[in-house]
Amino acid sequence: MSSMSCQIYFDNSTRVFYGGQLLSGRVVFQLTKPKTVRGIYVKIIGRAYCRWTTGSGHHSKTNVGEEFYLNEKTFFVGGDSGEVVLSPREYNYTFSCMLPADLPTSVEGKIGYIRYVVLVHVDRPLWSDRRFQECFTVLKVLNLNEGIVLRAPLVREDRKSYFICCLLCCCTSGPLIVKGSIPVGAYVPGQIIDVFLKINNGSDQTFTNFIIQIIKQIQYHTHANSSTKKLDTVVVKSASCNGCPKYQSKTYRLPITVPAIPPTDESTSNIVKVSYRLQIQGSAGCLRNDPVLIFPIKIGTFPILLNHTAITQQPTVPRQTIFVRLPPLPADSFNSSVPSADATCGGDAHDIDPPTYEEAISSFSGDVPGAAFRPSYPVFRRTPSYTTKTDI
């Protein structure tokens, strides 16, 4: 049994923090035997990292990208030199750090991550150092009411023609026309996307089903403006509906719920960039060219309020100060200059329940060190609903 143990506790039990908030907690350090140390310190680290290999054999190449957003170090005991003898007992220390407002959101992927960690380091002379760590989630606020264009419905159409071959000739069948729409271009986890699909199948091909998917795309870079990059595409949610027989028409309305996923962010980090799309694909089999509809969507941390315009009329408010529905923190942790949800969003915000903070769905493998940690994202259970128009 080890004579040394350490527990790290956060004052906010959800371990979810927004940029601009105060991160605070305590460290409980237990010794059952005297220990000589050079120092005991805490590091609060925010880091983007990715690694992948291209080629094979002697032609293989390892690509690595790394970027730091936080690297704070505070000594509890001792320093960089000298030695201190600690008697056996329990030691309690506190730590705190004001998080920069422009931190990127925590993300875990197959070959990389944006990760935040509190690391307690015990520097022991003549022995290997001991480390204890706990991860926490950082969220960058993305209030979807800041973009007018996101309120507009999205409509996509795909037309396909297929060849009919017989013994004497080949000719083209009637067209397959697939048209789909979603009511707005941005959502938050927990919201339902109301997908409307209209199929006019004038071809001789029977489509067995249509698949609707929410797809997360993570783009990894080795450094800023790098041409060396890797794309990782993950289906985070899928649903299906019946197909359409040949020479017939069908219409479908299909709801699909956005799971706990990180908000869209393609600009804050130079190493890890996150985007989303909703995709509808028909299936005819027989190696046919299936119809595909692609809707680029944005995932945020606060939903669109269709009847509210106050936010878009306040261009002087810095983006980083628009904090909405923050996780519970001690009263003295809030920056007094940050407006509350009521001040920022007006009365319509009262119709929205505060989010819960739920662990992300598993969309990464164990190839990345520490990938057992799952960040938590805001999930809304009662939000505005948007209706899809059926006259597409």
Side-chain angles (χ1 to χ4, degrees):
M1 181 177 178
S2 175
S3 60
M4 180 189 307
S5 64
C6 179
Q7 287 81 40
I8 302 170
Y9 302 97
F10 295 89
D11 290 339
N12 173 13
S13 60
T14 67
R15 298 193 185 187
V16 179
F17 300 86
Y18 287 79
Q21 286 187 328
L22 179 70
L23 169 75
S24 61
R26 59 192 178 94
V27 173
V28 179
F29 190 72
Q30 188 89 35
L31 288 179
T32 58
K33 296 180 180 179
K35 291 290 181 183
T36 301
V37 301
R38 276 192 290 259
I40 300 176
Y41 58 87
V42 62
K43 292 187 76 174
I44 301 173
I45 299 172
R47 173 182 179 233
Y49 177 82
C50 62
R51 178 187 176 114
W52 73 93
T53 303
T54 55
S56 60
H58 296 295
H59 302 286
S60 65
K61 178 185 177 182
T62 299
N63 302 279
V64 177
E66 186 177 43
E67 186 173 60
F68 281 88
Y69 311 108
L70 275 175
N71 196 358
E72 301 287 335
K73 180 179 178 180
T74 304
F75 275 93
F76 294 145
V77 175
D80 292 319
S81 60
E83 295 180 358
V84 178
V85 178
L86 299 178
S87 59
R89 66 180 182 88
E90 181 179 284
Y91 296 83
N92 287 268
Y93 308 105
T94 60
F95 62 87
S96 65
C97 174
M98 184 60 71
L99 300 175
D102 57 350
L103 290 178
T105 294
S106 300
V107 177
E108 294 285 338
K110 289 183 178 180
I111 61 169
Y113 54 76
I114 298 174
R115 190 177 296 164
Y116 297 88
V117 61
V118 173
L119 172 68
V120 176
H121 193 115
V122 182
D123 184 359
R124 302 185 297 175
L126 304 178
W127 292 88
S128 60
D129 296 346
R130 289 289 303 273
R131 296 183 179 185
F132 306 89
Q133 70 175 40
E134 292 290 345
C135 294
F136 61 96
T137 301
V138 168
L139 295 174
K140 180 181 178 181
V141 172
L142 180 52
N143 189 330
L144 299 176
N145 293 278
E146 295 174 357
I148 280 287
V149 68
L150 299 177
R151 298 166 178 256
L154 298 183
V155 179
R156 295 291 185 271
E157 180 180 305
D158 193 9
R159 292 171 176 257
K160 300 291 184 185
S161 295
Y162 302 98
F163 287 101
I164 303 173
C165 293
C166 61
L167 293 176
L168 299 177
C169 65
C170 288
C171 59
T172 304
S173 70
L176 166 73
I177 304 173
V178 179
K179 199 169 185 179
S181 71
I182 57 176
V184 295
Y187 301 85
V188 294
Q191 270 191 312
I192 295 174
I193 304 178
D194 188 24
V195 181
F196 183 75
L197 186 61
K198 185 176 181 179
I199 308 159
N200 186 359
N201 189 3
S203 75
D204 70 330
Q205 300 297 314
T206 293
F207 286 82
T208 56
N209 67 330
F210 282 81
I211 305 295
I212 295 90
Q213 298 174 324
I214 300 175
I215 297 174
K216 177 174 69 176
Q217 182 173 286
I218 303 181
Q219 195 172 84
Y220 301 97
H221 297 257
T222 54
H223 56 81
N225 303 316
S226 170
S227 59
T228 304
K229 56 187 177 183
K230 176 77 170 180
L231 193 63
D232 180 24
T233 300
V234 179
V235 176
V236 296
K237 188 77 172 183
S238 64
S240 64
C241 64
N242 293 330
C244 184
K246 57 185 178 181
Y247 310 126
Q248 292 188 28
S249 296
K250 295 285 185 180
T251 59
Y252 297 102
R253 172 171 273 141
L254 191 69
I256 183 168
T257 303
V258 180
I261 49 180
T264 300
D265 193 347
E266 300 181 83
S267 59
T268 310
S269 171
N270 294 311
I271 305 299
V272 180
K273 303 176 185 292
V274 180
S275 61
Y276 294 91
R277 69 177 185 265
L278 185 140
Q279 180 174 295
I280 303 173
Q281 182 168 347
S283 177
C286 301
L287 302 178
R288 293 291 186 178
N289 184 14
D290 292 335
V292 178
L293 306 179
I294 295 178
F295 302 81
I297 59 174
K298 183 168 284 190
I299 302 300
T301 58
F302 191 80
I304 293 173
L305 304 175
L306 290 179
N307 296 322
H308 181 73
T309 58
I311 292 178
T312 59
Q313 295 171 353
Q314 297 176 353
T316 60
V317 178
R319 291 180 61 90
Q320 64 267 28
T321 64
I322 302 179
F323 276 44
V324 213
R325 300 299 182 188
L326 304 180
L329 287 177
D332 57 359
S333 297
F334 286 101
N335 183 336
S336 59
S337 65
V338 175
S340 67
D342 293 342
T344 307
C345 293
D348 288 346
H350 292 296
D351 297 329
I352 301 174
D353 288 341
T356 57
Y357 291 87
E358 300 180 14
E359 285 189 351
I361 60 170
S362 179
S363 59
F364 47 84
S365 68
D367 299 336
V368 181
F373 172 70
R374 294 187 185 181
S376 296
Y377 303 112
V379 177
F380 293 78
R381 296 304 180 191
R382 188 166 68 94
T383 60
S385 60
Y386 319 119
T387 302
T388 301
K389 294 182 179 180
T390 59
D391 56 349
I392 60 174

